[in-house]
Amino acid sequence: MSEPSGRTYNQNHAPRKYSRSHRRVSVYTSWSYPGEANRNPAEMDNRFSTMTEVRRVLWPNYESPQWADPRRFQQGIAGSLELFFWAWVRFQQVIEEVTGHKVPMFQPVDQAGFPLPLDERVLADADTLLVFGLDHDVTEQVAAPEEIEAVRAFLEREGTCLVMGPHHDVGHSPDLDTRGWLTGVQNFNFHMHLPHYAVTQEDSRSARVLAKQPIDRTRPHPFTNAGNTEFNALVWMPPGDGRAGDVLVADSTIFSTLFGADESLVRFWKNLATAH
């Protein structure tokens, strides 16, 4: 069963009107909620933690009835998935305050089993689209050719911005950050297992590394043994090659309060919401 319009958390999306001075920001979390929530907790690898496991590891942070009472909050894997939605609320609030538009949260398959591929129901009324890659490979979430073409068409629109957020002292060069994505931004939040976004070509005009994360070198790894001391934490691909929109690659955790948020990080969110 499908809906004629995109479905956000337990409701159909109400399209927002275009205004050049008020960007419309949307989030597409590329997981199957049931596919993740229904994993067998006895299988320890390649799944989200249960809420019970989160409480044990982070004790006593989640011991209030809000999180620990099974009559109020889910204690299985679904509970930890709901933590993400809780932690995205501040980002949604900040963007709404800046733009005047609510930030819908879309999913390929939501809590109620409604499917929503990445198509015009998601893209038609968005200026900035954040795609959070929080899925596990075992749930077999693969972008369909039609979805890839839909995103390409989205980026052909003037003024669009795609932020790719795979899961997992920030510096920047004024010569590279000509759009001011990091204006007033001193740091992101701290996460212990960040990815490295390798740039595989030397042309700094097509892919620019704007921020780096220092690596903890106390634990040997082939990457640091090769002399690397930092991860690429934010990569920007300016418009070009027929693409009118910007593309940013940054870890999805920097849009969540699960790993902390301060004024500097909020400033980065606002920069995304006000860039033209």
Side-chain angles (χ1 to χ4, degrees):
M1 179 179 179
S2 62
E3 293 289 325
S5 61
R7 182 179 170 88
T8 63
Y9 201 133
N10 210 37
Q11 63 181 329
N12 290 334
H13 175 54
R16 300 155 293 183
K17 294 182 179 180
Y18 172 78
S19 171
R20 178 174 173 79
S21 60
H22 295 85
R23 295 186 68 82
R24 300 162 296 177
V25 179
S26 296
V27 176
Y28 188 80
T29 303
S30 60
W31 63 22
S32 163
Y33 188 101
E36 299 291 349
N38 288 327
R39 293 294 309 287
N40 182 0
E43 298 176 1
M44 299 301 294
D45 296 328
N46 299 310
R47 67 165 173 83
F48 282 102
S49 304
T50 66
M51 189 61 196
T52 299
E53 291 166 337
V54 170
R55 288 172 48 215
R56 288 177 65 88
V57 171
L58 299 179
W59 188 90
N61 294 350
Y62 290 98
E63 291 308 299
S64 66
Q66 166 64 60
W67 314 110
D69 186 344
R71 295 167 297 181
R72 291 186 57 183
F73 201 80
Q74 301 184 78
Q75 297 301 299
I77 294 174
S80 65
L81 299 185
E82 291 300 328
L83 281 182
F84 284 95
F85 286 103
W86 276 85
W88 287 325
V89 167
R90 186 176 178 192
F91 171 74
Q92 292 174 278
Q93 291 173 336
V94 168
I95 300 302
E96 184 176 357
E97 290 171 2
V98 172
T99 67
H101 292 301
K102 293 185 179 299
V103 179
M105 308 291 292
F106 298 109
Q107 303 172 78
V109 184
D110 70 5
Q111 289 88 335
F114 286 85
L116 180 63
L118 190 50
D119 58 22
E120 280 301 293
R121 290 173 290 177
V122 176
L123 299 169
D125 78 323
D127 303 306
T128 298
L129 174 68
L130 294 88
V131 178
F132 294 160
L134 291 168
D135 54 299
H136 288 86
D137 287 346
V138 294
T139 64
E140 300 180 335
Q141 303 301 302
V142 179
E146 296 81 5
E147 293 179 295
I148 296 172
E149 288 305 313
V151 172
R152 285 177 176 165
F154 167 75
L155 288 171
E156 290 175 359
R157 284 167 34 199
E158 194 73 32
T160 54
C161 178
L162 172 66
V163 182
M164 301 295 292
H167 177 60
H168 280 22
D169 183 18
V170 175
H172 73 279
S173 167
D175 298 330
L176 296 177
D177 187 20
T178 54
R179 286 291 297 278
W181 301 108
L182 293 177
T183 299
V185 180
Q186 301 299 319
N187 58 269
F188 292 155
N189 50 7
F190 181 71
H191 191 28
M192 290 296 290
H193 52 95
L194 290 169
H196 169 62
Y197 302 121
V199 177
T200 57
Q201 56 187 16
E202 297 182 359
D203 181 9
S204 63
R205 294 174 298 177
S206 60
R208 308 180 184 182
V209 178
L210 301 187
K212 294 177 179 289
Q213 164 74 42
I215 300 174
D216 178 2
R217 288 181 287 168
T218 60
R219 302 180 181 182
H221 187 277
F223 188 68
T224 53
N225 292 343
N228 295 290
T229 60
E230 298 173 312
F231 289 140
N232 293 341
L234 176 64
V235 178
W236 170 40
M237 285 158 277
D241 297 326
R243 174 172 43 80
D246 296 285
V247 176
L248 291 168
V249 182
D251 191 85
S252 60
T253 57
I254 68 175
F255 303 99
S256 165
T257 58
L258 280 177
F259 304 95
D262 58 13
E263 292 182 3
S264 185
L265 187 61
V266 170
R267 176 61 185 270
F268 177 61
W269 299 345
K270 292 180 178 179
N271 289 346
L272 285 177
T274 57
H276 294 291

